[in-house]
Amino acid sequence: MSDRPFLALVTGAAGGIGEAVCARLAARGGTLLCVERDETLARKAALAAGADAVPVACDLSDRDAVAALCARVEEDWADRLELVFLNAGVIVPGDVVDSPAARLRLQLDVMLGSVTELAASAARVMKARGRGHIVATVSTGGILALPGSAAYSAAKAGLRAYLAALSAELRGSGVAVSGIYPSAVDTPMLLHEATHDGSLLNFLGKVSTADDVARVFERALRRRRLEHYLPYSDSVLCRILESFPWVVPHLLGPAEAIGRRGRAKYLAGKGIPQG
């Protein structure tokens, strides 16, 4: 990315990772399009990002709203858009058999449907200009599926495949495609999982911070590779187990016991008493 002013679109801009990334992009001189699900959150994100930031309200679970945002990408911002960071996420923990269809669809729409459409629009305008970078927050949960978070894992696994194909299609165009694959990150989403029976596998190892992810994001901008992991050691284990999915159920008991202790430690650090 050059040093000249650039336009960057960030979804989930008011959340922990989104806010941390917006701050770094603003420090680089970027003008931020801060996308959030309603006007209040969008204004909050824009205020935190700086005076030039633009609040953009869009409910990413609403397909008409996503289509309207895609139209703005291709019409209003096409001549200046250098970067999109597709970061918005939602998780509703629970086994599939206990999850209404609307709950499953919500997660797929926000973390897969909206991302594929926005990335496609960004790819069109960037390819036409011969430069740009499409970055998305994926998850190691898209490599190794998390029981109790099946729709989340499905969305992230689908997104991983989509980014790989899109990257291959854009090879040589000047447009880079990158996915960031963190394990657990200390955000409101993780706290919600910890207090609502989310997957214990989130708490097997180190819980990263939003700033840790933002640093990996900046590394992705520099290196422009397809996949970037945090922490790397977790990704190695996940990718090995991904190759032997029939082994995973046999490891769940011991892994969840470790995760239960990790969750208790995490919640204690938040001052939340255990029942």
Side-chain angles (χ1 to χ4, degrees):
M1 185 180 299
S2 69
D3 293 331
R4 72 178 182 83
F6 60 93
L7 193 64
L9 183 147
V10 178
T11 69
I17 294 172
E19 185 174 345
V21 165
C22 282
R24 289 172 184 255
L25 289 173
R28 287 170 168 253
T31 298
L32 278 295
L33 303 170
C34 297
V35 180
E36 268 294 351
R37 65 180 178 270
D38 58 41
E39 291 283 356
T40 299
L41 284 172
R43 286 195 297 268
K44 174 189 172 186
L47 183 64
D52 293 334
V54 179
V56 180
C58 179
D59 180 351
L60 297 176
S61 69
D62 182 331
R63 296 181 181 183
D64 290 338
V66 172
L69 181 57
C70 288
R72 296 190 71 184
V73 167
E74 298 193 46
E75 297 167 10
D76 299 348
W77 304 315
D79 60 338
R80 294 184 56 210
L81 191 65
E82 299 281 348
L83 169 72
V84 296
F85 180 43
L86 303 169
N87 168 69
V90 61
I91 188 166
V92 187
D95 289 353
V96 170
V97 295
D98 300 320
S99 300
R103 185 182 300 171
L104 300 173
R105 191 179 304 114
L106 169 68
Q107 297 171 82
L108 292 168
D109 283 347
V110 171
M111 294 181 293
L112 184 58
S114 75
V115 179
T116 59
E117 293 182 39
L118 286 167
S121 289
R124 291 184 191 104
V125 301
M126 291 176 178
K127 184 178 181 181
R129 292 186 6 253
R131 66 178 184 274
H133 201 156
I134 299 165
V135 186
T137 302
V138 196
S139 169
T140 52
I143 301 173
L144 182 65
L146 301 175
S149 303
Y152 176 90
S153 291
K156 296 300 189 179
L159 179 55
R160 186 189 190 200
Y162 183 86
L163 294 177
L166 181 60
S167 177
E169 291 174 8
L170 293 173
R171 184 179 180 185
S173 70
V175 182
V177 177
S178 300
I180 298 174
Y181 292 77
S183 295
V185 183
D186 188 10
T187 62
M189 183 184 293
L190 183 67
L191 182 59
H192 177 78
E193 288 191 79
T195 55
H196 290 80
D197 295 321
S199 176
L200 292 168
L201 301 185
N202 284 308
F203 303 96
L204 279 175
K206 176 188 174 183
V207 175
S208 299
T209 67
D211 279 336
D212 291 334
V213 181
R215 282 191 289 272
V216 174
F217 170 84
E218 290 196 311
R219 186 175 73 205
L221 295 188
R222 293 193 305 271
R223 298 184 181 179
R224 297 170 70 87
R225 291 203 313 258
L226 177 60
E227 295 190 346
H228 303 263
Y229 305 104
L230 175 72
Y232 187 79
S233 56
D234 282 7
S235 78
V236 173
L237 178 60
C238 287
R239 283 179 283 170
I240 291 172
L241 291 175
E242 177 193 28
S243 300
F244 305 97
W246 57 89
V247 173
V248 174
H250 301 287
L251 302 177
L252 283 179
E256 289 185 343
I258 297 170
R260 189 170 288 106
R261 293 193 293 271
R263 182 180 64 183
K265 180 179 178 180
Y266 172 76
L267 290 173
K270 297 291 184 182
I272 298 175
Q274 302 294 291

